[in-house]
Amino acid sequence: MGISALRATVTEVTTPLLAVGIFEGDPTPIGDAGTVDAALGGLIRQLIADKEVTGEPNEVTVVHTQGKLPATRIAVVGLGKRADFNIDIVRQASATVALKARGLHVPRYAVMLLGLGQAGVTAEQSAVALSEGAFLGLYEYEQFKKPTEETPTKIEEIVVVASDQADVDAAQRGVHCGEVAARGVNLARDLSNGPPNLVTPAYLADTARSIAQRLGFSCEVFEVDALRKRNMGGIVAVGQGSSHPPCLIVMRYSGGAPGSKTFAAVGKGITFDSGGLDIKPADGMLTMKHDMSGAAAVIGFMQAAAELKLPINILGLASAAENLPSGTAYRPSDIITAFNGKTIEVSNTDAEGRLVLSDALAYAVDQGASAIVDLATLTGGCIVALGTVASGILGNNDSLIETVRQAAEATGERVWQLPLWKEYAEQLKSDIADTKSSGARQASAITAAYFLSNFVDDVPWVHVDIAGTAYYGADQVYYPKDRPYLPSGATGVGVRLLLSIVERWAKSP
Ligand code: BES
Ligand code: ZN
Ligand code: ZN
């Protein structure tokens, strides 16, 4: 699918479908919708008066123009109340229009630059959101499904339209950035939706390697022998029960000036989490192919960062292993030694994510990272605390936490901070090792983060627990129906968040 920007007015665009926005509560359509309304003899105004069109977010109404405009159809899409407007509304509206166009078997359509000037939204920001919304909303995981008659038509071309040349130039940049970010997200979704018999640690490594090769950044994979030699005992222990060996995927993108600081992104890559010897019940295991969503996000982020040629240095680490019970599996009460030399008493083999992260975090410190953000489907406790509405964030540095918060505000990937008070550390005290791997059920998202803090020293660090936000099943208590750019399955959460974080971090690293 292609997306581009075009200079034209709403009455000039020849297209099978042209989308214009209206706000809820405006008594008559104004702006582009007003111009269309006039050309159609007051049709939209009539629909509003008859309450058939309200302007609520994600409402879309298609009318035929019957030769009164060069566009064959107009899609009137709701942008909600002006007072509630934010950039996510544009992302949502764009996905709504894209899905409507697909439903109508329209292979190409045009959309006016939506929400321009509303709540300070610039042409570039609107274009980014339009592009993201369409690419994310149209996503499907189709690798294993043969096409049937119900398989929807592919949208081939989307044109974003503005009448002002400066807006068109900004929109051209915006649609490109949005497309690159969304393709990073969709790559992460493909990896996370992929079945665990396909998406093994080696598959993650191969994927990372081929992206790195294509885009000219470095990718090194530490296989079991290299992990052993480096004393990366956490990754080795978690992976030793599976016939698919574990690995640490080390990606380095050097876009910064020589000698400039490095940002590290670290992802949990458990390609299947059975719980290990502390095996999960069947229900709890069913979604555990998604337990590598953190690693998938880091790989998707690296692809997007390199395609955007960001002017910074990034170390991307994905800790990949499969957590299975077997005669060679690690056991509860084993003591393992992490890369930084700390010894860990394994209290529960289902608390495996923190072990693979321990080596990767310590390695990021060792490699001189100036800031570290890790993404992990780490704890059921985070879902108990925040549901599937937000990711939990915890960290050791207020300024980096604030950066993550602002980034999340911009991308619509909600985060909420949980405290890392020292009282929580009590639960991790071990009589025979430097730390236990897990504590009680209480505050388990926090104790997990506390455990991770053992491996970052004083480097500014934020941990993002994406257990509740990495995938949405239609049966979930909260399913984001209001966000049509999140189809069910893997969300690819974290890719756009990381992009938004480094954009901010780069200004004051
Ligand atoms: N991968 C799970 C966390 C998880 C649970 C993610 C549900 C998404 C949905 C993690 O490895 C795990 O099993 N954590 C345990 C830790 C406990 C044994 C200390 C948990 O949270 O119950
Ligand atoms: Zn687990
Ligand atoms: Zn896990």
Side-chain angles (χ1 to χ4, degrees):
M1 184 173 84
I3 188 161
S4 56
L6 172 78
R7 203 211 69 78
T9 64
V10 72
T11 54
E12 287 169 352
V13 197
T14 304
T15 172
L17 180 75
L18 172 62
V20 297
I22 61 159
F23 285 97
E24 191 179 346
D26 283 1
T28 56
I30 50 181
D32 292 327
T35 310
V36 167
D37 181 59
L40 298 182
L43 177 59
I44 300 176
R45 191 182 305 224
Q46 187 66 51
L47 288 166
I48 294 172
D50 292 342
K51 302 202 163 43
E52 281 179 51
V53 168
T54 66
E56 276 170 35
N58 294 317
E59 173 199 71
V60 62
T61 308
V62 175
V63 296
H64 281 250
T65 62
Q66 299 185 307
K68 292 174 190 145
L69 283 170
T72 315
R73 301 175 190 80
I74 297 291
V76 183
V77 63
L79 300 175
K81 298 195 175 79
R82 283 182 189 274
D84 299 339
F85 183 79
N86 60 63
I87 195 66
D88 203 55
I89 295 279
V90 178
R91 223 174 268 124
Q92 294 166 19
S94 176
T96 295
V97 170
L99 292 167
K100 188 72 188 178
R102 187 163 75 180
L104 292 170
H105 304 285
V106 171
R108 60 182 62 81
Y109 67 89
V111 53
M112 299 307 293
L113 210 49
L114 299 176
L116 205 56
Q118 200 67 34
V121 165
T122 65
E124 182 160 345
Q125 287 167 337
S126 170
V128 171
L130 286 171
S131 185
E132 287 179 349
F135 278 95
L136 296 177
L138 292 169
Y139 171 83
E140 284 178 301
Y141 184 69
E142 48 198 7
Q143 218 161 306
F144 290 95
K145 219 169 168 194
K146 291 176 193 64
T148 65
E149 266 153 36
E150 278 141 48
T151 305
T153 334
K154 289 264 174 286
I155 304 277
E156 288 157 20
E157 184 68 39
I158 302 173
V159 176
V160 173
V161 182
S163 53
D164 179 271
Q165 188 58 50
D167 288 346
V168 175
D169 294 343
Q172 192 61 54
R173 288 194 300 276
V175 293
H176 173 69
C177 293
E179 176 181 350
V180 169
R183 280 198 286 96
V185 176
N186 289 344
L187 165 66
R189 288 173 172 181
D190 274 347
L191 291 171
S192 180
N193 284 327
N197 57 339
L198 173 74
V199 183
T200 58
Y203 185 94
L204 289 178
D206 288 345
T207 305
R209 247 189 305 244
S210 74
I211 292 166
Q213 208 151 43
R214 173 167 61 82
L215 296 171
F217 63 86
S218 105
C219 177
E220 206 183 338
V221 178
F222 298 170
E223 314 274 2
V224 178
D225 288 347
L227 292 171
R228 281 220 183 85
K229 215 178 281 166
R230 290 187 154 84
N231 295 317
M232 294 184 159
I235 306 177
V236 172
V238 172
Q240 74 192 36
S242 169
S243 58
H244 297 293
C247 61
L248 177 66
I249 305 164
V250 182
M251 294 163 278
R252 286 175 213 272
Y253 166 77
S254 311
S260 59
K261 293 181 175 173
T262 295
F263 177 91
V266 178
K268 167 178 173 181
I270 301 299
T271 59
F272 188 72
D273 183 11
S274 70
L277 288 171
D278 290 314
I279 197 160
K280 288 179 183 293
D283 275 0
M285 216 186 280
L286 215 47
T287 53
M288 284 301 129
K289 68 171 183 180
H290 295 299
D291 210 22
M292 33 56 72
S293 297
V298 169
I299 295 171
F301 162 65
M302 292 304 289
Q303 170 178 288
E307 286 187 2
L308 291 170
K309 302 192 169 66
L310 296 185
I312 51 171
N313 301 326
I314 308 173
L315 174 65
L317 300 174
S319 276
E322 184 177 40
N323 188 22
L324 291 185
S326 79
T328 60
Y330 81 130
R331 314 154 191 80
S333 72
D334 279 357
I335 294 182
I336 59 184
T337 307
F339 178 68
N340 68 348
K342 288 207 179 160
T343 56
I344 303 161
E345 180 189 359
V346 176
S347 23
N348 186 315
T349 61
D350 199 9
E352 82 299 333
R354 61 198 76 184
L355 299 181
V356 300
L357 289 173
S358 66
D359 292 325
L361 292 169
Y363 186 65
V365 173
D366 176 74
Q367 294 296 296
S370 300
I372 306 173
V373 172
D374 80 74
L375 295 163
T377 46
L378 204 62
T379 64
C382 190
I383 311 180
V384 174
L386 300 171
T388 58
V389 178
S391 304
I393 56 169
L394 305 98
N396 61 4
N397 181 282
D398 288 342
S399 153
L400 190 60
I401 288 171
E402 186 52 30
T403 300
V404 174
R405 252 204 220 105
Q406 285 173 12
E409 193 66 40
T411 67
E413 296 165 284
R414 280 211 176 117
V415 299
W416 196 259
Q417 189 185 359
L418 300 172
L420 255 193
W421 292 315
K422 67 175 185 331
E423 284 79 355
Y424 293 107
E426 292 293 321
Q427 295 190 27
L428 294 176
K429 291 219 164 104
S430 165
D431 294 331
I432 53 171
D434 296 335
T435 180
K436 281 204 289 192
S437 65
S438 62
R441 282 170 65 90
Q442 284 187 1
S444 70
I446 299 177
T447 51
Y450 218 102
F451 174 86
L452 297 180
S453 72
N454 279 297
F455 304 93
V456 294
D457 296 353
D458 294 329
V459 179
W461 155 76
V462 172
H463 159 63
V464 188
D465 193 330
I466 56 171
T469 51
Y471 60 89
Y472 287 113
D475 55 340
Q476 248 150 352
V477 177
Y478 166 72
Y479 182 84
K481 283 195 276 310
D482 52 339
R483 300 190 192 199
Y485 62 83
L486 290 176
S488 68
T491 57
V493 69
V495 174
R496 293 185 303 112
L497 183 65
L498 283 169
L499 287 169
S500 182
I501 290 169
V502 294
E503 183 192 321
R504 284 151 224 277
W505 174 83
K507 287 177 190 150
S508 54

